């Protein structure tokens, strides 16, 4: 039996769900193929969303009309805003979620999205004719035809799990791998490689002595992930706990290193540098006496707990023996051990910025198959791939985000320009325009773009516009309103800041470190009255955004000026214009890298490792600039 669609998405992880819903909401007849409908958007590792830079990506997904933020808010069991002590460019939301409720909230979205069908099966082969994908076949011998296909297979492609010397094929614990699909893709000229990731032991909470651990509470202020959240509270806020390893733990681990697949040659692929296993930590930092661990609930009612910081592929008995040396775990019982998993990925330098393959037309890749790690990175890629798959079906220019527009833009540009030699994880340090890519203004940056695409509907667009107007009104008021010394100096002393000698504009006072819009408004009745007119359930969000723009205006303007200067290079298109191998004024390394990446613009070429400023000058001269 044959089926025909505009867009087919292979895999229903975080990338696949966002890709499928985006393509369908834009109007493409879409099919999402998954091995298990009960595991859509499964949190394979930590049941948490967000974190440093990752939280910003989720807000961008939300601003573009994606669903990760809405579903996180709906299923969160603990919310925190990280990096509060730093500037707003570093503030990052993070939430623990109920793992099962997260799945079913996503499934509700998928099953009620117009134009979207779901098929439970495993894809074994893609069908390519004349360098263009036209469909695929499954293990149930069903043939699907499509104008575009998006591959988001996560860790399932030839997945192999490791616990000590035990090896078991699988994409996740108790779930089979996807076989043959990698080989089908590679035979069509696309390069693949192997990567490794891991996950920790899952603990039975009834066996833990929580009195020997420190508590880590959540926060209940106005912050959330979705700009569409109407102020609804999260699920019941649960505690997390912290404890530390000790020398006894480390000694057990050291004695077991010979049986670790990471150190005995059993695993050859490279794991994530920034989320190392516990055995890697004790080898890399031999003088460190302890490592912090976080014990986090998997759901609102389950006893299952996730031990963050103790990822391992050591034999089961060694994992348990080591953990029992921690006082809180002396009576430890577990649900399953930690394990490592190796899987196939495809070199992302073979992709365009739209995430379409340069090798096979209308074939897109998103998520861990591109060498990334993390639900948020996957979701961001999935959204962009789904949008562009729809565009390829119905016409239009590719939808691409620049590095100064979104962390998603930084992520994709890094992947297609630099490639990966280890699982890629987003950090704020990867973005050169951090002050422009704050969590508070993702909707200001991106929602209008998505509205023009048709992905964001009128209600969301109007909500963004009303927020923009409210922010503008606050800032204009502070610029125009004059403060007299006699009326404000007592208040300034009470607030711990120097009294004024002369009158000034309200904006000048708010720029003082000790002054906020909230604490000064009580002393300026006209200002307070204006603030009270703001819609109540969005008031705090709007005031925060306005205050950030006031206090950081100089930094924002300076970074925008730098971004605008460099944007000139983004307009100089060079793909297909040069035979790099024949340009001998370029360095040998530059020629090799330029041939491999085939950059779209001069700006992209300048970001390729091994391409020097002098090489860029050569290209500028040859471009007539």
């Amino acid at each position: 039996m044959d089926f025909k669609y505009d867009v087919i998405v292979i895999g229903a992880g975080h990338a696949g769900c966002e890709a499928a819903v985006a393509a369908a909401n834009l109007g493409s007849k879409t099919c999402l193929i998954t091995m298990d409908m009960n595991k859509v958007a499964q949190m394979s590792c930590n049941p948490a969303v967000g974190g440093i830079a990752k939280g910003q990506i989720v807000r961008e997904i939300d601003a573009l009309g994606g669903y990760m933020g809405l579903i996180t808010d709906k299923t969160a069991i603990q919310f925190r805003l990280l990096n509060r002590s730093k500037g707003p460019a570093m503030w990052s939301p993070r939430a623990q979620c109920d793992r099962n409720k997260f799945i079913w909230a996503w499934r509700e979205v998928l099953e009620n999205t117009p134009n979207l069908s779901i098929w439970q099966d495993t894809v074994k082969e893609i069908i390519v004719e004349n360098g263009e994908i036209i469909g695929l076949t499954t293990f149930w011998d069903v043939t699907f035809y499509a104008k575009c296909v998006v591959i988001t297979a996560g860790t399932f492609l030839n997945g192999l799990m490791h616990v000590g010397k035990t090896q078991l094929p699988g994409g996740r614990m108790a779930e089979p791998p996807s076989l043959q699909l990698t080989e089908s893709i590679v035979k069509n000229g696309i390069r693949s490689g192997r990567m490794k990731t891991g996950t920790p032991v899952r603990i039975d909470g009834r066996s833990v002595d929580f009195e020997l651990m420190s508590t880590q509470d959540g926060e209940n202020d106005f912050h959330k992930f979705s700009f569409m959240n109407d102020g609804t509270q999260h699920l019941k806020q649960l505690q997390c706990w912290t404890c530390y390893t000790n020398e006894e733990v480390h000694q057990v681990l050291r004695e077991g290193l010979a049986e670790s697949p990471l150190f005995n040659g059993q695993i050859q692929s490279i794991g994530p540098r920034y989320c190392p296993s516990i055995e890697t930590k004790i080898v890399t930092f031999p003088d460190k006496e302890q490592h912090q661990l976080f014990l986090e609930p998997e759901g609102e009612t389950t006893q299952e707990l996730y031990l963050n910081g103790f990822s391992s592929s050591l034999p089961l008995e060694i994992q348990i023996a080591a953990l029992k040396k921690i006082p809180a775990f002396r009576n430890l019982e577990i649900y399953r051990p930690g394990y490592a998993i190796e899987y196939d990925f495809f070199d992302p330098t073979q992709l365009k910025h739209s995430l379409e393959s340069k090798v096979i037309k209308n074939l897109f890749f998103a998520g861990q198959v591109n060498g990334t790690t993390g639900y948020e990175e996957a979701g961001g890629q999935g959204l962009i791939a789904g949008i562009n798959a729809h565009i390829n079906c119905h016409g239009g220019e590719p939808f691409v985000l620049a590095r100064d527009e979104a962390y998603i833009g930084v992520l994709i540009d890094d992947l297609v320009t630099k490639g990966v030699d280890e699982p890629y994880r987003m950090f704020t340090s990867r973005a050169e325009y951090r002050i422009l890519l704050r969590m508070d203004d993702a909707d200001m940056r991106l929602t209008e773009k998505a509205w023009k695409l048709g992905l964001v509907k009128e209600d969301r667009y109007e909500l963004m516009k009303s927020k923009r107007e409210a922010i503008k009104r606050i800032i204009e008021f502070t610029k125009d309103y004059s403060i007299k010394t006699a009326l404000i100096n007592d208040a300034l002393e009470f607030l711990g800041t120097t009294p004024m000698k002369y009158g000034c504009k309200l904006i000048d006072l708010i720029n003082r470190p000790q002054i906020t819009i909230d604490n000064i408004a009580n002393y300026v009745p006209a200002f307070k009255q204006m603030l009270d007119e703001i819609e109540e359930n969005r008031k705090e969000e709007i005031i925060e955004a306005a205050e950030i723009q006031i206090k950081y205006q100089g930094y924002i303007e300076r970074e925008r000026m730098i971004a605008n200067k460099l944007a000139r290079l983004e307009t100089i298109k060079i793909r297909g214009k040069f035979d790099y191998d024949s340009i001998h004024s370029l360095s040998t390394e530059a020629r090799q890298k330029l041939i491999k990446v085939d950059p779209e613009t001069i700006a992209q070429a300048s970001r390729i490792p091994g391409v020097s400023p002098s090489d860029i000058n050569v290209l500028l001269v040859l471009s007539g600039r």
Side-chain angles (χ1 to χ4, degrees), residues 51 61 129 150 209 252 310 342 435 501 520:
I61 292 170
E129 289 185 1
V150 184
D209 189 341
V252 173
F310 205 87
E342 291 184 286
I435 197 67
K501 292 183 179 180
I520 200 66

Side-chain angles (χ1 to χ4, degrees), residues 76-287:
I77 53 178
Q78 190 191 86
F79 183 92
R80 297 174 65 219
L81 186 64
L82 308 183
N83 280 344
R84 283 182 183 269
S85 62
K86 299 181 181 179
M90 305 295 285
W91 296 347
S92 303
R94 182 184 187 274
Q96 287 291 124
C97 293
D98 185 303
R99 182 191 299 277
N100 289 322
K101 286 185 171 68
F102 192 93
I103 290 171
W104 285 98
W106 250 119
R107 182 160 168 178
E108 183 180 353
V109 169
L110 294 170
E111 292 188 26
N112 290 283
T113 297
N115 303 314
L116 179 59
S117 301
I118 304 174
W119 180 261
Q120 184 167 303
D121 202 343
T122 303
V123 176
K124 67 178 177 181
E125 188 167 12
I126 60 171
I127 305 171
V128 178
E129 289 185 1
N130 301 317
E132 180 175 349
I133 193 159
I134 63 166
L136 54 88
T137 58
T138 74
F139 276 90
W140 282 111
D141 288 326
V142 179
T143 300
F144 289 80
Y145 292 99
K147 297 175 183 176
C148 290
V149 173
V150 184
I151 295 178
T152 68
T155 61
F156 280 79
L157 296 178
N158 293 319
L160 181 65
M161 297 178 291
H162 302 258
V163 179
K165 294 180 180 178
T166 301
Q167 297 179 331
L168 188 67
R172 272 191 298 255
M173 182 69 79
E175 297 182 54
S178 173
L179 305 174
Q180 299 185 33
L181 182 55
T182 296
E183 291 72 19
S184 170
I185 294 168
V186 168
K187 76 179 183 182
N188 282 284
I190 292 177
R191 300 185 302 275
S192 71
R194 294 284 278 176
M195 279 191 174
K196 168 261 171 189
T197 190
T199 191
V201 59
R202 302 307 200 274
I203 290 174
D204 186 336
R206 296 170 295 180
S207 69
V208 177
D209 189 341
F210 293 103
E211 292 185 358
L212 299 178
M213 305 183 81
S214 300
T215 60
Q216 185 179 65
D217 296 320
E219 300 168 355
N220 262 319
D221 68 2
F222 68 94
H223 290 102
K224 52 193 181 298
F225 277 98
S226 177
F227 294 102
M228 293 293 285
N229 189 310
D230 61 2
T232 302
Q233 292 296 306
H234 309 299
L235 297 176
K236 179 182 177 183
Q237 295 284 288
L238 302 184
Q239 280 186 336
C240 294
W241 300 267
T242 64
C243 64
Y244 291 87
T245 62
N246 53 49
E247 183 52 39
E248 288 184 272
V249 175
H250 297 179
Q251 185 58 37
V252 173
L253 295 172
R254 280 193 289 268
E255 290 173 358
L257 284 177
E259 298 182 68
S260 168
L262 293 175
F263 294 96
N264 64 12
Q266 186 173 312
I267 291 178
Q268 297 292 323
S269 49
I270 298 174
R273 178 189 317 207
Y274 301 105
C275 189
S277 66
I278 189 65
E279 51 264 44
T280 300
K281 289 179 185 178
I282 64 167
V283 170
T284 306
F285 308 104
D287 298 328

Side-chain angles (χ1 to χ4, degrees), residues 8 74 82 116 195 231 310 389 449 461-462 472 513:
I8 293 176
K74 187 176 182 180
L82 308 183
L116 179 59
M195 279 191 174
F310 205 87
K449 291 177 180 291
Y461 181 56
E462 290 300 324
K472 181 180 178 182

